[in-house]
């Protein structure tokens, strides 16, 4: 039994400025992921170290005050459990870390006050086993400068406790233990700070890419608006005005040709995809402009100028040609009658193209042109600027008009 053929997949229309850079961009390291990872790490360390060293704490309880010794150990153990639980409740993690760090520091500082009988031999005070847990909690719970102070303070306090008559080992071993604690705690602090900064950099990068993507979309929208405005003015309004003023057979024939050109122009604009058209040479641009000027009802002189082998993107050539034609149309409509001289000059200068459309007619004041008029602002200036070109309008009442268009392969000219 034959089955219907599956429809061929359609190709998505390419974005006008390439693939959206924000698509799939996410910060590889986020602040939340760093905090979550360290919350789990310190929870494992607190519960693990606490469980392993319970025998050491119990062994030293007979040497401690019967009330304050068990109370200090119990409170610190409770803070370890709080840190462990906070790994499953992220909003409590920082609070648990701060409580753990502060309680450990209190227990360490008050150790000499809780000892009733000196420790035997080289036995270490039981808070020694939790120095790294307290420093890690401080590194995660405190601001960096507070964590630095804490990391330097804990080894110093431990060395002082160990050197005291009730501190146990004392001697060079206390200094070595303090140095070891400082090195290990400092390493944890450095890792925490670096990961947090890496997270901040990734977030900033993702934010910058999103803003850049938004700017691209806004620019694409603006370019499309300029193109639509220009097409509407050139292909629709100009044709309608010419048809309304057509009284002679020649004028009516010209209006008909303009209508057909407008339909072709709109159809080509609707079907055109970015990147489809091949580059255009300056000579081809010149021929296109000259052919278009031939449809006007008034003669326009084409002045001789050097034309080289420069090739320019089709979209830039279209913008320059359309702007030049619009400038000539404006001259025919507004500069004056048959006594007005009109000219166009297309010239290549190195890696740039220059087109001048001028007349010695009535001229106008550009600042006095109403905002609703699209001929100069949309169809000439903004159209050329949209392809990284420049458009300069030079005109004064009674002194004629010159419109100079320029495009360079290196950008703004």
């Amino acid at each position: 039994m034959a089955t219907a053929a599956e429809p061929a997949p359609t190709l998505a229309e390419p974005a006008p400025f390439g693939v959206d850079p924000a698509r799939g961009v996410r910060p590889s390291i986020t602040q939340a992921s760093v905090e979550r990872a360290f919350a789990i790490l310190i929870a494992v360390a607190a519960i693990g170290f606490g469980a392993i060293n319970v025998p050491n704490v119990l062994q030293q309880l007979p040497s401690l005050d019967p009330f304050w010794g068990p109370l200090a150990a119990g409170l610190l153990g409770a803070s370890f459990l709080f840190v462990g639980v906070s790994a499953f409740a992220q909003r409590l993690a920082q609070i648990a870390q701060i409580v753990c760090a502060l309680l450990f520091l209190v227990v360490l500082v008050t150790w000499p006050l809780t000892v009733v009988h000196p420790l035997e031999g080289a036995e270490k005070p039981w808070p020694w086993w939790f120095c790294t847990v307290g420093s890690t909690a401080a590194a995660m719970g405190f601001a960096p400068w507070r964590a630095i102070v804490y990391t330097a303070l804990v080894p110093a306090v431990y060395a002082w406790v160990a050197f005291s008559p009730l501190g146990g080992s004392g001697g060079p071993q206390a200094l070595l233990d303090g140095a070891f604690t400082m090195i290990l705690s400092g390493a944890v602090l450095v890792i925490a700070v670096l990961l947090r900064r890496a997270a901040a950099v990734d977030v900033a990068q993702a934010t910058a890419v999103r803003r850049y993507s938004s700017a691209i979309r806004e620019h694409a929208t603006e370019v499309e608006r300029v193109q639509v405005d220009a097409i509407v003015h050139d292909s629709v309004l100009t044709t309608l005005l010419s048809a309304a003023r057509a009284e002679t057979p020649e004028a009516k024939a010209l209006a008909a040709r303009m209508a057909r050109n407008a339909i072709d122009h709109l159809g080509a604009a609707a079907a055109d995809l970015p990147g489809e058209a091949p580059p255009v040479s300056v000579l081809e641009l010149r021929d296109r402009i000259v052919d278009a000027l031939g449809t006007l009802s008034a003669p326009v002189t084409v002045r001789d100028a050097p034309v080289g082998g420069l090739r320019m993107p089709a979209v830039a050539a279209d913008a320059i040609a359309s702007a030049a034609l619009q400038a000539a149309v404006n001259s025919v409509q507004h500069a004056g009658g048959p006594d007005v001289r009109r000219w166009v000059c297309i010239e290549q200068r190195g890696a740039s193209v220059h087109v001048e459309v001028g007349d010695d007619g009535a001229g106008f004041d550009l600042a006095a042109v109403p905002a609703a008029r699209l001929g100069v602002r949309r169809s000439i200036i903004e159209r050329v600027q949209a392809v990284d070109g420049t458009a300069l309008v030079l005109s004064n009442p009674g002194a004629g008009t010159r419109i100079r268009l320029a495009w360079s392969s290196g950008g703004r000219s």
Side-chain angles (χ1 to χ4, degrees):
M1 179 177 179
T3 58
E6 294 183 359
T10 58
L11 296 177
E13 182 176 334
F17 290 90
V19 179
D20 186 351
R23 184 175 299 173
V25 174
R26 297 179 181 176
S28 56
I29 303 177
T30 64
Q31 187 73 22
S33 66
V34 170
E35 302 296 338
R36 176 69 174 170
F38 271 96
I40 294 174
L41 174 63
I42 190 174
V44 171
I47 299 299
F49 275 85
I52 292 174
N53 290 287
V54 166
N56 294 328
V57 176
L58 294 178
Q59 181 180 353
Q60 293 183 11
L61 284 182
S63 301
L64 306 180
D65 183 269
F67 177 74
W68 294 111
L71 179 63
L75 289 176
L76 189 60
S79 72
F80 288 177
L81 291 176
F82 187 22
V83 169
V85 172
S86 70
F88 303 97
Q90 191 62 32
R91 65 182 182 278
L92 300 176
Q94 187 177 21
I95 298 174
Q97 292 157 5
I98 293 175
V99 169
C100 177
L102 292 178
L103 272 177
F104 173 76
L105 185 59
V106 170
V107 169
L108 185 61
V109 171
T110 59
W111 165 264
L113 303 179
T114 63
V115 178
V116 177
H117 306 291
L119 299 180
E120 298 179 359
E123 191 175 0
K124 293 181 175 62
W126 68 259
W128 150 259
W129 306 105
F130 306 112
C131 286
T132 303
V133 176
S135 297
T136 304
M140 291 306 301
F142 292 148
W145 70 270
R146 291 191 178 94
I148 292 173
V149 171
Y150 188 100
T151 301
L153 184 61
V154 165
V157 172
Y158 175 78
W160 169 72
V161 170
F163 268 109
S164 67
L166 302 176
S169 58
Q173 185 62 40
L175 293 177
L176 292 176
D177 291 343
F180 174 77
T181 301
M182 179 172 288
I183 293 172
L184 187 58
S185 301
V188 172
L189 177 60
V190 168
I191 292 173
V193 171
L194 289 179
L195 284 178
R196 279 175 168 167
R197 289 186 177 179
V201 169
D202 278 359
V203 170
Q205 180 186 27
T207 301
V209 171
R210 285 194 296 269
R211 290 178 179 175
Y212 175 64
S213 175
S214 177
I216 285 180
R217 289 193 294 270
E218 290 177 2
H219 180 59
T221 301
E222 178 65 15
V223 169
E224 185 175 2
R225 179 192 63 79
V226 171
Q227 292 174 343
V228 169
D229 285 349
I231 290 174
V232 167
H233 181 274
D234 297 352
S235 300
V236 179
L237 296 183
T238 303
T239 301
L240 292 177
L241 288 173
S242 298
R245 296 172 181 173
E247 296 180 356
T248 64
E250 292 80 6
K252 292 179 181 179
L254 175 61
R257 288 200 304 272
M258 292 178 66
R260 285 194 296 271
N261 291 338
I263 293 173
D264 293 342
H265 192 184
L266 291 172
D272 187 36
L273 292 178
E276 277 191 347
V280 176
S281 68
V282 180
L283 180 60
E284 291 172 331
L285 172 65
R286 184 179 185 276
D287 293 341
R288 183 184 304 182
I289 294 175
V290 172
D291 291 343
L293 295 178
T295 64
L296 300 180
S297 58
V300 179
T301 302
V302 180
R303 294 182 174 177
D304 291 333
V307 176
L310 177 67
R311 300 184 69 83
M312 56 194 303
V315 63
D318 290 341
I320 296 294
S322 298
L325 177 60
Q326 183 58 45
V329 170
N330 289 349
S331 176
V332 172
Q333 293 177 344
H334 305 295
D339 295 336
V340 175
R341 292 180 300 169
R342 299 175 176 86
W343 70 87
V344 63
C345 179
I346 301 101
E347 179 182 5
Q348 177 181 335
R349 302 175 190 170
S352 62
V353 179
H354 296 261
V355 177
E356 181 180 272
V357 181
D359 63 60
D360 59 1
F364 66 97
D365 182 2
L366 182 61
V369 177
R373 297 286 296 275
L374 303 178
V376 174
R377 189 176 66 257
R378 294 285 194 267
S379 296
I380 297 178
I381 298 176
E382 292 188 2
R383 168 177 272 169
V384 176
Q385 289 177 346
V387 295
D388 290 335
T390 59
L392 179 63
V393 179
L394 303 174
S395 183
N396 284 303
T401 301
R402 293 191 179 197
I403 296 179
R404 294 172 179 171
L405 313 174
W407 180 90
S408 174
S409 61
R412 294 278 184 181
S413 54

